[in-house]
Amino acid sequence: MSTGFTVIRDNTPASAIPKGAVVAMGNFDGVHLGHRAVIGAALAMGRAHGVPALAVTFEPHPRSFFSPNTPQFRLTDETNKLRLLAATGLAGAVVMTFDKARAGTSAQDFIHHDLIGRLGISGIAVGYDFHFGKGRVGSPSLLVSEAPRLGIEVDVQAHVDIEERPVSSSAIRMALAEGEIADATTMLGGPWFVTGKVVHGEKRGRDLGYPTANIRLDKHCGLKHGIYAVRVGKGSQRFDGVASFGRRPTFDNGAPLLEVFLFDFKGDLYDAVLDVAFIGFIREELKFDTIEALIRQMDEDSAKARALLAAAPDAFPQLGVIG
């Protein structure tokens, strides 16, 4: 696990920014295998030149700025994106605020002012399809053409394919929306996960013999409603469990809620912050005519979850510490 991962923001003093670093630039939603190829190129470049490698990323996601009224299912919020980046070996991340001013900055000004002037980069790695600057005029080919004059090295990574399908954040969102957890895990290079604080629920699970830790996910979460095998992180501790994400059709059909039952756990989890990694999809959400039928199904779901988790004993996202 990486330590000392530094986060540089718009208000970070110039004196605190390591000049001469190389950067991997992208939105990095999910930090999937395609992103990791770009990060790997930056790390290799940094090692070759004996300088640190940083990520350059943008918050909020530019899509949210340009389409504020369109629901955006993000694979990772800002904090979890940084935790994933911190585990890659990068020395830190530059988080640039994506606002009206940055959206209106020309590609040339962004290169000269932000990358060269403020960050003082010596090299940059990007994906083949990454665009930046006003009107998305900035492109990998522009960086390549400017590199000799600027005295920087540029590495452009091709798309990463799995079974002849390009890996992308949108493809992962689609997989999660269809409950295709194995596909999402493969493209991400590890399980997809969410983080949230345990809140009080209706306590029905306790009465059923399945007390749950309830977490409200982002309202735009596009994960398929259903039952999942999950591995839960509470700090450095790991627990196996089974989880339901959905509207509880047997009871209230209310707002979507993640309800997690931890196997062989005793204790109070209220207000605890948990990382919930999705290891396998078990079934779709169903409505049951009787409580007895529901409990029988929950027993069966738990057995299936235990088997899925036993087959993947080490499955959990690699997370670093944000310095």
Side-chain angles (χ1 to χ4, degrees):
M1 180 178 290
S2 302
T3 57
F5 183 84
T6 302
V7 179
I8 297 164
R9 300 188 182 273
D10 293 349
N11 60 358
T12 299
S15 59
I17 299 173
K19 297 300 187 289
V22 300
V23 298
M25 187 165 68
N27 291 314
F28 298 126
D29 187 24
V31 194
H32 58 59
L33 292 184
H35 298 146
R36 291 173 187 272
V38 175
I39 291 165
L43 288 168
M45 195 186 301
R47 286 192 296 269
H49 297 289
V51 296
L54 310 171
V56 170
T57 191
F58 305 88
E59 289 291 339
H61 195 292
R63 258 198 330 270
S64 299
F65 174 83
F66 288 117
S67 302
N69 298 319
T70 302
Q72 306 289 350
F73 173 23
R74 286 191 56 165
L75 299 175
T76 44
D77 61 17
E78 179 181 342
T79 298
N80 281 343
K81 176 168 68 173
L82 291 174
R83 292 170 77 196
L84 287 166
L85 290 172
T88 63
L90 291 168
V94 180
V95 180
M96 296 186 176
T97 303
F98 200 89
D99 53 14
K100 185 177 180 180
R102 182 145 278 129
T105 300
S106 71
Q108 289 284 359
D109 282 349
F110 179 79
I111 293 170
H112 289 272
H113 178 267
D114 291 291
L115 297 181
I116 303 299
R118 177 163 166 77
L119 297 181
I121 69 168
S122 62
I124 183 169
V126 292
Y128 72 101
D129 60 347
F130 185 76
H131 288 78
F132 59 94
K134 185 177 180 179
R136 291 170 52 86
V137 170
S139 64
S141 59
L142 176 64
L143 289 169
V144 170
S145 66
E146 290 284 286
R149 187 164 62 85
L150 297 172
I152 62 172
E153 184 177 347
V154 176
D155 186 296
V156 179
Q157 286 292 302
H159 53 78
V160 173
D161 294 343
I162 294 176
E163 296 180 352
E164 299 183 354
R165 292 187 303 161
V167 172
S168 69
S169 297
S170 58
I172 295 167
R173 291 186 196 99
M174 187 176 298
L176 293 171
E178 295 174 352
E180 300 291 346
I181 297 300
D183 283 353
T185 299
T186 298
M187 289 187 280
L188 285 165
W192 181 68
F193 76 107
V194 296
T195 302
K197 181 182 284 189
V198 177
V199 300
H200 287 271
E202 299 296 327
K203 299 181 173 58
R204 294 192 190 97
R206 183 181 302 172
D207 296 335
L208 299 174
Y210 283 89
T212 58
N214 303 316
I215 298 173
R216 297 206 178 276
L217 304 187
D218 184 276
K219 63 181 180 180
H220 300 313
C221 177
L223 178 68
K224 182 182 178 71
H225 289 183
I227 310 302
Y228 294 86
V230 297
R231 183 159 287 128
V232 176
K234 181 177 182 288
S236 60
Q237 296 176 290
R238 300 288 179 265
F239 304 96
D240 286 354
V242 62
S244 167
F245 177 61
R247 298 182 179 277
R248 305 162 304 284
T250 301
F251 296 105
D252 58 10
N253 211 37
L257 183 69
L258 178 65
E259 301 174 279
V260 184
F261 172 68
L262 301 183
F263 301 139
D264 312 313
F265 176 83
K266 305 286 186 191
D268 183 1
L269 289 171
Y270 289 121
D271 293 327
V273 175
L274 304 180
D275 294 316
V276 182
F278 293 79
I279 309 303
F281 179 76
I282 295 173
R283 63 171 174 85
E284 296 187 4
E285 193 172 39
L286 300 172
K287 182 175 182 178
F288 294 89
D289 294 330
T290 67
I291 296 301
E292 290 75 19
L294 171 60
I295 293 173
R296 283 196 299 272
Q297 185 63 60
M298 292 167 73
D299 291 342
E300 186 177 322
D301 296 339
S302 295
K304 289 180 179 178
R306 286 182 184 272
L308 286 168
L309 292 159
D314 300 318
F316 200 77
Q318 294 295 310
L319 302 172
V321 177
I322 304 171

